[in-house]
Each structure stands twice: as C-alpha cells, then as structure tokens.
Amino acid sequence: MSLPPLLILLPAERASLADVVLATGAVPVIDLTLDEEATIPPGAGVRVRPGQAAPGDGWVIVAGEGAAPAGRRALIERTRPGPAPEGFAGVILRGREAGGVCADVDGFALLVAHGPGALLDAGLGPDTAAAAVACGAAGVVVGEALWALPELGLGPNALKRVRVARDVDTVVVSGQRVVAPALSPALQRLAAGESLASVCRGWLSADTPAHTALPAGQGLALAATLADRVGGLKEAITAYQQAMGRAPAPPRSSRARELATNLSALLAARGAAAASPTGLVGAGVLWQEAVWAGMPVAGEPAVARDAVGAAVPREEVVAAPVVVTAPEPAPPVVEPAGEGVEAPPEAIAIIGLGCVFPDAPDVATFWDNIRAGRSSIREVPQNRWDPALYFDPDKSALDKTYTKIGAWVETLRFDPRAFRIPPKVAEVLDDVQKMALVAVAQAFADAGISPESKLDRSRVAVILGNSMGGSTRDEYAMRVYFPRILQALFASPELAGLDAAQRDGLSRSFSDRLKSGLKPITEDSMPGELSNVIAGRVANAFDLGGPNFVTDAACASSVAAIQAAVKGLRDGDFDLAVTGGADRTNDAPTFVKFSKIGALSPDHSSPFDATANGFVMGEGAGAVVLKRLSDAERDGDRIYAVILGVGASSDGKGKGITAPNIEGQRRALRRGWAEAGVDPVEADLIECHGTSTTVGDKVEVEALTEIIGGGRRGARGPVRIGSVKSQIGHLKSAAGAASIIKTTLALHHKTLPPSIGYRTPRADLPLGVVPLQVQTVAEPWTIAPDRRRRPGRGAADRRGPQGGGPRRAQLARRRVGHLGHEPRRADPPR
C-alpha cells in the first residue's frame, strides 16, 4: 500500500540534502521564501512567495494567495478550509502550530473542517502525522521538527536554542509564528510591520537566535526528542513513514526511558495531554509529546484523538516517575554543587548573593540567624511610628491597627558616595532604594564583580520585585494635602471665630510642627519614591546598560523578577542579571490596611503551627546574581546553586480576591517541576510561602501533598518544610528573595535550616501523607551517594485586577514557584 506523500521542508542552505530525502521516497521541498539563492537538485520541489520565481523541476508550494506558476505542479498554502484555486493541484493547510503565517485554530480542527484531500502542516511528529492521515489528510509537511538532526548542521547557538525549545516558546505577531526573545530587535521589527522574509532572512548562517527570529512553529519543541530517538535524517523520515503506515518505530536506544521521564514531567503540568481550541499548544505537537511520554491524550477532534491514542506506547508508561493522576508537578528549586551529573540545558547559575534583612545587614549574618533560629520580630521602634497614635487592640476600630509587631531593618549602612549619589539627592531617597543598592552591591562583590571587571555592562539586566514603592510617598502626600487639613480644621465651630491674625499664626505653627519631620518636595522627590526607579537607580549606580524594570506581583514580586531574569538569560536578551526584590512598607498606613483584611497576627509568627493566627510584616532587600550555567562554568565563577525551572499561574475566578485557591497553587507547583524536568518526589526540602495564616498554610500543605503524592518517598524519608517568615516576618514583595537566598544557602552549606515557632501540629494539615515534616532545628543535609540535593520554593500570591475588557474587569491572582538543584562540581578557588 502506497503512503500519502511526506513533504520534507529544507532550508535553502541545506538543498544538498534533497538527494538523501529522495532516496527514502519522501519529497524534498527547498524553502526559498527566506533565502532565494540555492541550487535545486533534480526532483526537488521549492516553496516560494506569491510571484517569486520557482527554479527546478519539482513541485512548487506557493506560500500564500497568488497565481499558480505556469507549467508546474503546484500546491497552495492556506490558513482556512476551501478548495484549491484554479491551476493548483491541492491545498496545504497550515494550522496554528505552523511556523510563519499560520491559522488561529488547531491543524486537526482545520483538517476536519476542510474534509479529506488537503495536506497538513501543523508541527507534526511521526504519530500525529499518522493521525492526520487517519483524518483524511492527503499528505503531511514536516520542517522544524527535523532541525536538531546532525545533517541539518545548525550552528552552535541555533542548535542550543532548538534543543531547549518548549512548545509554548513561540510567539505570534500579525498572524505569523516565530521563535524569538521578547526583547529581540527581530521581534520588534516584525511587530513594526517588517516582512517575515526580512526578519528571518539568513537565520541559519547568521547563527544568532537572540537577534534573528527563527522561522519555526511549535513543532520545534519536538526536534531534540526526535533527534535523540532516531539519530539521523534517514531514520527520522523512516519513523514518519512507518507511523503513517502504522508500523511501530521503536526508539534507537535505551534513552527512551529518560525521554519518557522528561516528557512526562512536562505533560504532567497540564494534567492530561488535552488539546483544545483555546489551549496554548496545538494537538499536532502536544499529542506527539504525549505519545513519547506514554501518556493518554484528550480533546477534539475525536477522530484525531483516537488515532493518536492508539499509538501511545503503553510499555513506556512505567518509565514516567510523575503520577499521572496528580494534576501537575511543582515550582523552581535551587541546589548546591554535586559532581558527575549533567545539568539540564540552559540551567541558570546563582553566583552572587546580597541582602539587607531584619537584624541581618549581610548574607553571613542572615545565615547565622537562620541556623541559630533567632527571631527578629519585635514591637515597632519609636522612630518608625507611634503605637499610641495608630494602635487599638479592637479589630473593628476605624483607622487603627490591632497589631504593633513586625520585623524591622533598624540599621542601614548606606554611603551615597559609593553609588555616585549627591548628598542632597540622598536626603530624599526612599530607604527602599537605599536597601536595594546596598544588597546589589553586596551581591556583585560576592560574585567577584567590581568596577574593574571585564564584562559587557550593556548586557547586564536589573530586574527587581517591588509592589508598593516605599514609605516616603506618604510623607509627600501629607505635605501636599496640608491645605485640606487646615481647611477642615478652621471649619470646625471651635475655631470658626478666630480672626485672620490668629488663623495665620495657628496655621504657621501647625505647619512648622507637622512638616518639620517630613522630607521636602524637590526635583529629586519623585525619582526618589517611584517603584520603577529602584531598578533604574541600580542601573545608574553600576553603569549597567541591559534592561531594567520592576515586577509587581505583590507577595510574588521578587520571584516574578527572578522568573523574568531566568527567561531573559535563556533567550539571550542579556548575559548577566541581578534580580531579587526590595520592600520597605512597614509604615502605619500599611499596617492599618492589612489589619482591615484581618491578615495580621497580633502576637507571633508560627507557620503550620496550631497557634498560627496571621502573618507578621517585615521589610528588607535581597539580591541574587544570575548567569547561564555554561557561562558561569566557562568563567570559573563560584556557583552557589542552579535554577532549573520556574512556574507561575493565576487562581482565575477563585473564591475571592484575597482568598487562596488550591488550584492556583497546584498549577504553579506543577509548572515549575515540569519545566525543570524533575519529579517533585525528589525534593528533600521545600521552603514554603508559609505565611502563618490559617487558610494559607492549609492550602499550601494540601497542594504540596497532592503534587508530591503519598507513599512515594520510600527510603528518602520525609520532605522537610519551613518558612523564613517565622524569623523575619513576611517581607511582602521581597519575600521570595529572602526565601530563595535562604534555600540557596541551605544547599551551599548542605544544611537543613530550621523554621521556628512550630510546636503543636495542626490536626487539619495532612502532613503525614507524603510525609511532610516541619524542620525545627538545623541539621546536616545528608543524601545517598546516588542522589542530589533538590529543594523547592512554595507558591507566593499576587492579588489584584489582571487586565479586563470593555464590559468588566477580570480579577485573578498570580502564583510563582521555583525549582533547582545543587551545582555539578566543587567550588573553584576564588
């Protein structure tokens, strides 16, 4: 039985591979839409833009609406169903998975709507190509799924990008799908209206994927696995042909078990491998990943789903360590250095740490406090705000806080000259900016970076988390609104009878007293208080030319910043990033507002304990210096830990804008572990969000229990959990930075750190299922010789309006988690 035609789309620079393709019985098609110069071998087809010359004697594919070339067999590419125009022998349907011009619906949905007879280009793997044939496709087109094969000869940079490509990494601009970093000039040019041919021209020879868009679709995510399974171009084509003929094509080596494991972790982040019209990934790609991972598929159209489902190799299911019934894996983790284990592609190294935390002006002191179990929680210092004015134990009292405890940065060593800041500017600089500068300076020094260091400062990014600026804004507001206060004062009956002189005298006296302790408003005031200037101030002080911005995801702000830094490094937007977060909003208004939510504890912080009754506010700044692991190893940097994955999610509609939703936590946890390609059962330590709120702690433990699963730890023992908030309070937008620094130090020192205040277990927390164990004392972190230390960081919340339409606003929360592991080798001498 003859097979439907298999069209192999080759870059113009690889036209010489046409003979290899012809020898297999497949049809080579040389893509001239981006590079017109190519020698076309006899029998090879060409893909051209409408009106472009079509050399050679084979088939011609016209990429878009145009006339058929005279005297040639031709196919036309389309993104909607319909018969072939006059002069064309057939139609190639380009689903939303395809690279370049693509539809906005699934390739399979497009094929079913069209009916039998069309060819399909939808990022297909071998098994989804077979499903396309089962749905009536007259043939299939395969392109970027082959790019990791050695015969394609991609340059080292492009090949690296291809091998780490995920199915969600592509972007669509003006109906055209490409792979490009979000900040790349190529993407900006495409958004500005420049043609795809111009933006992607010469991509293969240029080998600059950080600056040149790759003309690839979602099928690029299949390339590395396909190459690892089959080995070469002939074998890849044979795999497609055997699948389309429904003959099994086994993997070439025992790597099948490893590949199934990694892919199962990816797919477990989505529960089942379900394709839907509104999903991010088309079925042509998603279902192929499911087949390779031995996982079931779900979704529409049913005829395609059933055809793919029949191809799932059930013998590989045992190779997948992720429990398929558990909704998803977990967040990003950090780890210290182990020997002899290959790091995942594009792992991100932590090479520098800095902090200004309560009772901890530096990282060494912070770690000493953690190990010793010291609490930094105490009553508000008199120089911050007066409890006599703002405190009332009655929770219903208007404009009052029912708590006066917190964790405070009482000593800040800041020398403006070190940052080239004039004294007058320093006077109006909010302390949140000062803390950020000091923390970053420490982190750079810890990473061995000085003004004399040889690095391209134009390629260094500053991405910091902050959600509320600082407290200086309240002082300025008090000055500006002073006339309104006077107006209300003199409108009172008791003062209405004062003559003008008395009013003027009282006004001056009142004004002098009120404003004597307030900062003046000058030309430096606004830059001194703005949240976004925190990152800008760092870029200015250290002469850094990469992107600088602040992320606001409330309590998840600093982990959102780290997520953005990790992605930018992986995409090649910059080569070094300083990230983390800063928060200095322990002022009276913040206390009062949080009191009205009922979120604060009046007396203590004890995450997961039966006495937990709310969180305690803290403040501080934490900074980490990140670098691609390969670059850090090349440069001989000390590597504290390695970040493998970061997961983020929103709660969606949820129960309320401030109520935690377990589904949002599950999503973030699953996505982080899935991106890392690690089974969450391997985590020995989870640094939780652990706010010490009754509902929050319960939801977090339940989500972790569900993600890790019961009865799977075996001889590994319990997963240790804890929260640094028990010692320094909740640093709000800097909370994630404190947690990640703590976890990084735990890995570096091979120590399980304590979480204090835990004495009485809560009966409603399912701690014994995994089991999870609150770590209450510092102890050595020992592991079996064949294992690595793997910690995780729990989800943090972002609450607030997220976008919205013309009719109603949408309310959601964002959660961020992270996963990593210890470095691969011992620290080099510094």
Side-chain angles (χ1 to χ4, degrees):
M1 181 182 73
S2 61
L3 295 174
L6 174 63
L7 277 60
I8 304 298
L9 191 62
L10 298 169
E13 295 180 46
R14 298 295 179 262
S16 59
L17 294 176
D19 292 338
V20 178
V21 177
L22 287 166
T24 67
V27 180
V29 178
I30 314 305
D31 190 357
L32 300 181
T33 61
L34 306 178
D35 301 278
E36 300 184 15
E37 297 297 325
T39 300
I40 308 301
V46 293
R47 178 176 182 252
V48 296
R49 301 185 301 276
Q52 181 181 353
D57 58 5
W59 282 89
V60 177
I61 297 176
V62 177
E65 298 299 330
R72 298 287 294 276
R73 297 169 296 173
L75 301 169
I76 187 169
E77 291 182 348
R78 288 189 145 176
T79 59
R80 62 183 186 278
E86 183 179 353
F88 286 97
V91 172
I92 296 176
L93 298 173
R94 292 176 61 81
R96 63 175 171 143
E97 306 94 333
V101 177
C102 61
D104 56 6
V105 297
D106 239 51
F108 281 124
L110 201 61
L111 181 62
V112 171
H114 182 280
L119 288 81
L120 183 62
D121 184 353
L124 302 170
D127 296 285
T128 46
V133 173
C135 289
V140 298
V141 179
V142 178
E144 58 268 33
L146 308 173
W147 285 5
L149 297 171
E151 293 91 335
L152 269 290
L154 268 64
N157 294 322
L159 183 60
K160 185 178 181 182
R161 185 71 184 87
V162 168
R163 291 201 66 86
V164 301
R166 302 174 304 169
D167 51 25
V168 293
D169 281 349
T170 59
V171 293
V172 177
V173 179
S174 302
Q176 302 171 103
R177 189 178 293 279
V178 297
V179 175
L183 301 178
S184 67
L187 201 60
Q188 295 172 12
R189 288 161 49 201
L190 190 63
E194 199 167 328
S195 71
L196 185 72
S198 173
V199 168
C200 297
R201 181 170 290 119
W203 67 270
L204 201 157
S205 58
D207 194 30
T208 55
H211 303 285
T212 306
L214 302 185
Q218 294 178 346
L220 192 67
L222 304 178
T225 304
L226 180 65
D228 290 339
R229 291 177 71 93
V230 303
L233 180 58
K234 288 182 179 179
E235 293 80 6
I237 294 173
T238 299
Y240 275 90
Q241 292 170 331
Q242 288 179 328
M244 291 164 69
R246 269 294 169 240
R252 66 190 177 108
S253 73
S254 60
R255 287 210 65 201
R257 180 173 294 270
E258 175 189 342
L259 294 168
T261 297
N262 294 340
L263 282 165
S264 68
L266 172 68
L267 291 168
R270 306 180 175 114
S276 72
T278 58
L280 291 175
V281 184
V285 177
L286 181 65
W287 285 346
Q288 182 62 67
E289 293 172 329
V291 170
W292 283 337
M295 293 184 67
V297 299
E300 294 297 332
V303 61
R305 178 198 65 220
D306 294 343
V308 176
V312 175
R314 298 298 171 184
E315 68 277 7
E316 289 188 10
V317 173
V318 295
V322 175
V323 180
V324 177
T325 54
E328 312 170 310
V333 181
V334 238
E335 316 186 1
E339 293 100 26
V341 181
E342 287 297 322
E346 291 298 314
I348 303 300
I350 297 176
I351 64 171
L353 303 172
C355 75
V356 178
F357 292 145
D359 293 338
D362 52 53
V363 169
T365 307
F366 180 52
W367 179 242
D368 286 344
N369 291 345
I370 288 173
R371 286 195 308 170
R374 295 190 184 99
S375 173
S376 297
I377 296 171
R378 59 180 63 95
E379 285 201 8
V380 56
Q382 284 292 330
N383 65 339
R384 296 299 293 273
W385 50 270
D386 186 355
L389 299 176
Y390 306 105
F391 170 75
D392 191 319
D394 180 0
K395 292 187 176 183
S396 64
L398 293 177
D399 305 329
K400 299 288 186 178
T401 170
Y402 60 79
T403 183
K404 51 185 175 180
I405 61 170
W408 318 84
V409 175
E410 297 189 52
T411 303
L412 176 61
R413 304 165 189 160
F414 179 76
D415 179 5
R417 295 170 298 180
F419 304 103
R420 302 181 297 110
I421 297 176
K424 287 188 177 181
V425 175
E427 289 176 4
V428 296
L429 212 62
D430 195 288
D431 279 353
V432 71
Q433 295 188 18
K434 295 177 182 178
M435 290 192 300
L437 287 166
V438 172
V440 169
Q442 290 180 21
F444 277 148
D446 189 47
I449 298 171
S450 69
E452 294 75 34
S453 296
K454 294 182 179 179
L455 78 159
D456 185 353
R457 292 178 180 271
S458 70
R459 300 276 298 165
V460 179
V462 184
I463 307 174
L464 299 172
N466 180 266
S467 62
M468 293 187 284
S471 58
T472 303
R473 181 177 303 172
D474 294 332
E475 297 189 21
Y476 294 147
M478 197 178 300
R479 295 185 70 102
V480 171
Y481 286 121
F482 181 71
R484 182 174 171 182
I485 296 171
L486 277 181
Q487 183 182 48
L489 180 69
F490 291 126
S492 62
E494 293 81 0
L495 300 179
L498 295 179
D499 59 32
Q502 290 173 318
R503 290 167 64 99
D504 289 345
L506 181 57
S507 296
R508 284 194 299 270
S509 176
F510 185 23
S511 177
D512 291 344
R513 284 179 176 273
L514 180 67
K515 297 180 181 178
S516 62
L518 302 179
K519 295 177 181 178
I521 299 177
T522 70
E523 68 273 15
D524 298 310
S525 297
M526 184 172 287
E529 70 169 9
L530 290 177
S531 178
N532 62 286
V533 179
I534 300 171
R537 191 77 67 182
V538 171
N540 178 273
F542 295 94
D543 190 24
L544 307 176
N548 83 76
F549 56 91
V550 165
T551 59
D552 181 357
C555 302
S557 293
S558 51
V559 187
I562 291 171
Q563 181 186 36
V566 167
K567 188 177 189 306
L569 286 166
R570 285 175 170 166
D571 288 346
D573 293 343
F574 36 81
D575 299 323
L576 190 79
V578 60
T579 184
D583 191 289
R584 212 265 191 183
T585 53
N586 273 14
D587 49 301
T590 308
F591 267 77
V592 172
K593 293 169 190 174
F594 271 118
S595 289
K596 295 314 156 191
I597 299 174
L600 300 181
S601 167
D603 45 33
H604 75 302
S605 177
S606 56
F608 311 114
D609 190 77
T611 63
N613 59 358
F615 72 82
V616 174
M617 288 209 294
E619 61 187 6
V624 296
V625 178
L626 303 183
K627 205 174 193 179
R628 288 181 287 270
L629 178 60
S630 56
D631 293 346
E633 292 179 327
R634 175 199 66 201
D635 297 338
D637 295 316
R638 175 179 57 186
I639 301 171
Y640 281 104
V642 174
I643 298 176
L644 299 181
V646 183
S649 74
S650 294
D651 278 359
K653 186 176 181 179
K655 299 177 182 178
I657 200 64
T658 62
N661 184 340
I662 191 171
E663 184 54 39
Q665 297 230 1
R666 286 192 292 240
R667 275 195 291 264
L669 292 170
R670 293 166 186 158
R671 289 169 179 170
W673 288 102
E675 182 174 284
V678 177
D679 186 348
V681 78
E682 293 296 327
D684 296 318
L685 173 68
I686 301 288
E687 171 64 16
C688 296
H689 191 45
T691 56
S692 190
T693 60
T694 304
V695 177
D697 288 358
K698 180 177 173 61
V699 167
E700 189 163 13
V701 169
E702 290 176 343
L704 286 171
T705 297
E706 188 171 336
I707 295 306
I708 299 173
R712 303 179 60 225
R713 284 285 290 177
R716 301 179 185 91
V719 177
R720 315 302 177 92
I721 65 173
S723 171
V724 75
K725 295 177 183 65
S726 65
Q727 294 176 264
I728 62 171
H730 188 347
L731 271 54
K732 303 177 290 297
S733 52
S739 297
I740 289 171
I741 291 173
K742 174 189 172 181
T743 309
T744 300
L745 292 169
L747 283 166
H748 183 64
H749 294 287
K750 299 178 175 61
T751 298
L752 294 169
S755 181
I756 68 174
Y758 180 78
R759 295 177 180 84
T760 307
R762 283 176 55 177
D764 61 337
L765 297 188
L767 293 172
V769 176
V770 171
L772 304 173
Q773 177 182 309
V774 179
Q775 183 71 19
T776 57
V777 296
E779 62 179 283
W781 187 347
T782 57
I783 56 172
D786 61 340
R787 296 189 65 234
R788 302 184 72 184
R789 292 176 183 84
R790 295 186 185 278
R793 190 215 174 258
D797 300 344
R798 177 189 192 274
R799 300 185 178 97
Q802 292 270 80
R807 296 183 182 174
R808 62 185 178 87
Q810 295 176 327
L811 299 179
R813 291 191 300 153
R814 177 177 182 169
R815 301 183 179 277
V816 183
H818 73 284
L819 169 82
H821 66 85
E822 55 187 344
R824 300 188 300 170
R825 54 180 174 74
D827 294 343
R830 297 192 72 204

